[in-house]
Amino acid sequence: MKPRSVVRSEVEKFPPVVWNAFIDLIGMEKYEDLSEDQRPAHLVFKYDVEVYNGGHDQYFHNRGVKHLSETLTALTQLGAVCQHTVLREAADRFFGRPRENARSLSEFVAQAQEREYSDLDARIDACSPSLHEHLEDHLNRNQSIFVVIT
């Protein structure tokens, strides 16, 4: 996927426009449409959003395990060692028992209320630097992959 373009005068007026363009690219585009270099940020962002909004229950429910191995690799690539460890433990727990997909919202809520991952959700919150900070650093080091200032 081509990097997003932002106008230099916009960046000078409001520097966060670069971050917003980055998030627009990695958050809104499909995994398959992104370049190989863009995909790690996409996977880390999606993991962060899901876990922040609903914990590992929500992550596994919404994202599944299709890109789990790549997400673990992406966390390492971005230097998120703490978060990698937590996701690895969550994955081991996920695969440690048979699972049934929730057939309704009420079934999903009932499963989530079991709080199977609550300890890991707390640990991910305690990781420092945060995934947001890792993504900011990744953008700063690789801006041209994601955002071009014209």
Side-chain angles (χ1 to χ4, degrees):
M1 172 70 55
K2 284 183 4 184
R4 297 292 196 255
S5 288
V6 294
V7 178
R8 183 170 308 284
S9 61
E10 290 179 30
V11 176
E12 290 167 358
K13 288 180 201 170
F14 187 69
V17 75
V18 174
W19 174 259
N20 293 345
F22 171 66
I23 295 303
D24 181 63
L25 177 72
I26 67 169
M28 301 301 165
E29 297 298 332
K30 294 179 189 172
Y31 173 86
E32 296 78 16
D33 295 337
L34 295 169
S35 73
E36 192 171 317
D37 291 334
Q38 294 166 336
R39 288 176 178 173
H42 168 83
L43 292 170
V44 169
F45 176 74
K46 293 296 187 175
Y47 174 61
D48 186 38
V49 168
E50 295 291 359
V51 171
Y52 179 78
N53 286 311
H56 286 86
D57 282 309
Q58 181 169 311
Y59 173 74
F60 288 120
H61 178 78
N62 289 347
R63 308 300 299 170
V65 295
K66 180 178 180 183
H67 296 292
L68 178 60
S69 177
E70 292 157 288
T71 302
L72 287 162
T73 299
L75 288 165
T76 301
Q77 288 173 330
L78 270 68
V81 176
C82 178
Q83 292 90 344
H84 175 274
T85 300
V86 173
L87 180 56
R88 168 68 11 226
E89 289 181 36
D92 290 346
R93 197 174 292 178
F94 180 84
F95 289 117
R97 68 178 180 95
R99 305 277 169 178
E100 286 187 31
N101 289 334
R103 293 180 299 256
S104 67
L105 179 58
S106 60
E107 280 187 22
F108 173 74
V109 169
Q111 289 172 359
Q113 287 177 336
E114 292 174 16
R115 309 229 0 111
E116 177 180 5
Y117 301 100
S118 61
D119 61 321
L120 297 176
D121 296 343
R123 281 183 44 209
I124 202 85
D125 288 341
C127 287
S128 181
S130 68
L131 287 176
H132 180 93
E133 291 167 313
H134 283 294
L135 285 165
E136 282 180 333
D137 183 57
H138 188 65
L139 172 61
N140 290 336
R141 287 184 286 112
N142 304 283
Q143 183 176 310
S144 64
I145 296 170
F146 304 101
V147 181
V148 174
I149 300 173
T150 57

